[in-house]
Amino acid sequence: MSDLVHARPERFFADRFDLSPATIERLLGDALRGRVDDADIYVEYRVTEELVLEEGRVKKASRHVTQGAGVRAQAGVRTGYAHTAELSIRNLEEAARQARAIAVEAATSAVVPVGGGAPHDLYPLAEPPVAADLGRKLALLASVDAAARAWDPRVRQVVATLLAEQAVVLIVTAAGWSVGDIRPLTRLSVSVIAEAEGRREVGTWGGGGRVELGYFFEGERWRRYATEAARQATLKLGAREAPAGTMTVVLGPGWPGILLHEAVGHGLEGDFNRKGVSAFTGRLGQRVASELVTVVDDGTLPHRRGSLNVDDEGTPTGRTVLIERGVLAGYMQDRLNARLMGMRPTGNGRRESYAHPPLPRMTNTFMLAGEDAPEDIIRSVPYGLYAVAFGGGQVDITSGRFVFSASEAYLIEGGRVTAPVKGATLIGHGPEALTRVSRVGHDLQLDEGIGTCGKDGQSVPVGVGLPTVRIDGMTVGGTRV
């Protein structure tokens, strides 16, 4: 464990697997002989731990190691990708040959150098979460369980989960540039079931990031996770059916930014725009939202779940303004789509693991704060819906249409938040919804650190954020008209 915790990535792979950056660069030479435009090798060693406490007992305790490498060759719009779980010269050579064979067509251009810039140092930890004492982790879960049950006698079941990992990665490009990263990640999740008079409801809460285990003990953060999950579950026991129709919707700060992530964020990723299938294709410089709306993607926020020192192509992450005062300002790019679109990479090339090729993906995506007081925004609404947490949702990238389920929502009546409601869904069109933003609060919050984004079968950790936002004329699906 000591080499995993303290070693530099280049030294780690050289000592453990006899794979130095120079050796890997020689392998890439073979891949380039087929006249490809670009090529790289991504090497990964990952330790993952999961602890689950259910019904007051440890129901799962697992720890496993994965390792491997992926070789990518690019020619024009075509990408060849091959991967191996065995980190040996022979297997990497074969993967390089296969990637080249898949990619080669009529490309004749030279290899594209990776953009300059030094990697960040966003998550230095004295003790990575996978190295923390097991007894302390189990005590944390037991404390969460006890706090959730103590919240209300109607709490029937508590599931507390602690996930921790440490990944060592090394990226070597065909341009002779190499960079490594050591990436910690941890998340504490709480799920509570409450029951009364034959009715059962579920509440969930949690958080984390690229942080040490001690993060959850700061200010008894773990207790807040437990009581928030219990509060949400018991609150729903008394919730009335949500209304349906067109109305004003106020989104609370923080996690409701997931709506922004899904309804707008994916449509601003480079591949969808290069292929012409996004609702934002060809609209750079055009107004796509209210002038109150500025949206950024920022992978440089220290210790955040979606942050990276470098992306999975070796490009340092950055802060990309996507929408500025309502005008479409940019897209999130990996190297491939940036090259094909004549743009610069933005540090958004991400992959789930060595077994997956990188794609342009979000990191931490959020709307900047405005000037309104949140309470003034609520008071400005005669009748509407106040949504403070969301569950599942769907979006069609081409049309921009979305449907989201609110896991915690309330009526707004006479400028006051009143009764909790259940079964509310928000239905709309991403770009159109942004044009209906009429007030933006000064209370920007980022989520607690639980987000995981899926795309093309790959999942990666992300962050979202939002200030309190008023959106006029939204369609709300419910059961009461």
Side-chain angles (χ1 to χ4, degrees), residues 458-477:
Q458 297 190 43
S459 296
V460 297
V462 296
V464 300
L466 199 71
T468 297
V469 172
R470 171 176 164 160
I471 306 177
D472 298 327
M474 283 202 74
T475 300
V476 177

Side-chain angles (χ1 to χ4, degrees), residues 61-74:
S62 66
R63 188 181 182 93
H64 63 273
V65 175
T66 57
Q67 64 185 45
V71 184
R72 178 177 60 162
Q74 298 173 345

Side-chain angles (χ1 to χ4, degrees), residues 49-191:
E49 179 182 80
E50 182 179 14
L51 300 172
V52 180
L53 189 77
E54 185 176 352
E55 298 177 345
R57 299 180 179 180
V58 178
K59 288 296 183 74
K60 182 178 183 180
S62 66
R63 188 181 182 93
H64 63 273
V65 175
T66 57
Q67 64 185 45
V71 184
R72 178 177 60 162
Q74 298 173 345
V77 299
R78 193 165 174 170
T79 296
Y81 195 78
H83 61 87
T84 175
E86 182 182 338
L87 294 179
S88 67
I89 298 297
R90 180 176 60 83
N91 279 38
L92 288 177
E93 287 175 337
E94 179 59 27
R97 284 192 292 270
Q98 292 182 11
R100 181 192 60 191
I102 295 169
V104 169
E105 45 178 27
T108 57
S109 59
V111 173
V112 177
V114 175
H120 310 296
D121 187 15
L122 302 174
Y123 28 83
L125 302 183
E127 182 184 56
V130 295
D133 178 68
L134 177 60
R136 193 178 180 209
K137 295 173 181 175
L138 295 177
L140 171 64
L141 294 179
S143 297
V144 167
D145 179 83
R149 294 181 186 278
W151 175 260
D152 192 292
R154 293 172 294 176
V155 171
R156 294 288 184 267
Q157 185 172 336
V158 179
V159 179
T161 303
L162 183 65
L163 293 169
E165 72 174 41
Q166 182 89 338
V168 185
V169 303
L170 178 65
I171 304 113
V172 181
T173 74
W177 190 76
S178 66
V179 63
D181 197 15
I182 297 180
R183 300 170 175 173
L185 189 65
T186 187
R187 184 180 73 182
L188 175 62
S189 303
V190 188
S191 178

Side-chain angles (χ1 to χ4, degrees), residues 326-350:
V327 175
L328 184 59
Y331 301 128
M332 290 166 281
Q333 297 284 17
D334 62 347
R335 290 200 339 245
L336 170 65
N337 289 281
R339 173 169 58 85
L340 295 173
M341 295 177 72
M343 298 180 177
R344 64 175 184 83
T346 57
N348 289 91
R350 305 192 62 191

Side-chain angles (χ1 to χ4, degrees), residues 90-412:
R90 180 176 60 83
N91 279 38
L92 288 177
E93 287 175 337
E94 179 59 27
R97 284 192 292 270
Q98 292 182 11
R100 181 192 60 191
I102 295 169
V104 169
E105 45 178 27
T108 57
S109 59
V111 173
V112 177
V114 175
H120 310 296
D121 187 15
L122 302 174
Y123 28 83
L125 302 183
E127 182 184 56
V130 295
D133 178 68
L134 177 60
R136 193 178 180 209
K137 295 173 181 175
L138 295 177
L140 171 64
L141 294 179
S143 297
V144 167
D145 179 83
R149 294 181 186 278
W151 175 260
D152 192 292
R154 293 172 294 176
V155 171
R156 294 288 184 267
Q157 185 172 336
V158 179
V159 179
T161 303
L162 183 65
L163 293 169
E165 72 174 41
Q166 182 89 338
V168 185
V169 303
L170 178 65
I171 304 113
V172 181
T173 74
W177 190 76
S178 66
V179 63
D181 197 15
I182 297 180
R183 300 170 175 173
L185 189 65
T186 187
R187 184 180 73 182
L188 175 62
S189 303
V190 188
S191 178
V192 170
I193 296 177
E195 183 176 3
E197 300 177 352
R199 180 174 170 181
R200 308 182 82 193
E201 296 289 350
V202 178
T204 60
W205 206 262
R210 302 189 184 278
V211 295
E212 300 177 13
L213 185 67
Y215 173 83
F216 301 110
F217 294 94
E218 296 171 1
E220 292 197 323
R221 189 176 267 114
W222 60 268
R223 185 183 299 277
R224 180 165 58 82
Y225 292 177
T227 56
E228 279 296 309
R231 181 196 62 79
Q232 193 181 91
T234 53
L235 177 78
K236 292 178 182 178
L237 290 174
R240 65 175 70 171
E241 298 295 334
T246 301
M247 65 186 71
T248 299
V249 173
V250 176
L251 302 178
W255 179 243
I258 190 64
L259 189 148
L260 183 75
H261 169 104
E262 293 289 356
V264 178
H266 280 297
L268 296 174
E269 292 167 341
D271 51 350
F272 294 128
N273 288 279
R274 176 179 65 81
K275 297 172 184 177
V277 297
S278 168
F280 293 98
T281 297
R283 301 188 66 184
L284 282 174
Q286 297 181 17
R287 181 164 298 282
V288 296
S290 160
E291 66 176 9
L292 300 174
V293 173
T294 296
V295 179
V296 302
D297 182 86
D298 193 339
T300 69
L301 305 177
H303 299 292
R304 297 298 305 182
R305 180 171 169 83
S307 295
L308 294 168
N309 290 324
V310 294
D311 72 2
D312 295 324
E313 299 179 305
T315 305
T317 52
R319 181 181 177 95
T320 303
V321 178
L322 303 172
I323 299 173
E324 186 169 16
R325 297 188 61 82
V327 175
L328 184 59
Y331 301 128
M332 290 166 281
Q333 297 284 17
D334 62 347
R335 290 200 339 245
L336 170 65
N337 289 281
R339 173 169 58 85
L340 295 173
M341 295 177 72
M343 298 180 177
R344 64 175 184 83
T346 57
N348 289 91
R350 305 192 62 191
R351 65 181 97 202
E352 179 177 325
S353 74
Y354 73 87
H356 304 84
L359 301 167
R361 307 288 298 273
M362 285 171 273
T363 56
N364 304 296
T365 310
F366 49 95
M367 184 188 297
L368 297 191
E371 298 179 355
D372 288 322
E375 57 271 22
D376 290 342
I377 296 177
I378 296 293
R379 279 196 290 265
S380 72
V381 180
Y383 181 79
L385 186 78
Y386 180 46
V388 299
F390 285 90
Q394 299 179 31
V395 62
D396 184 294
I397 300 298
T398 302
S399 69
R401 303 294 300 180
F402 64 81
V403 179
F404 277 90
S405 300
S407 57
E408 183 178 353
Y410 303 82
L411 288 179
I412 302 176

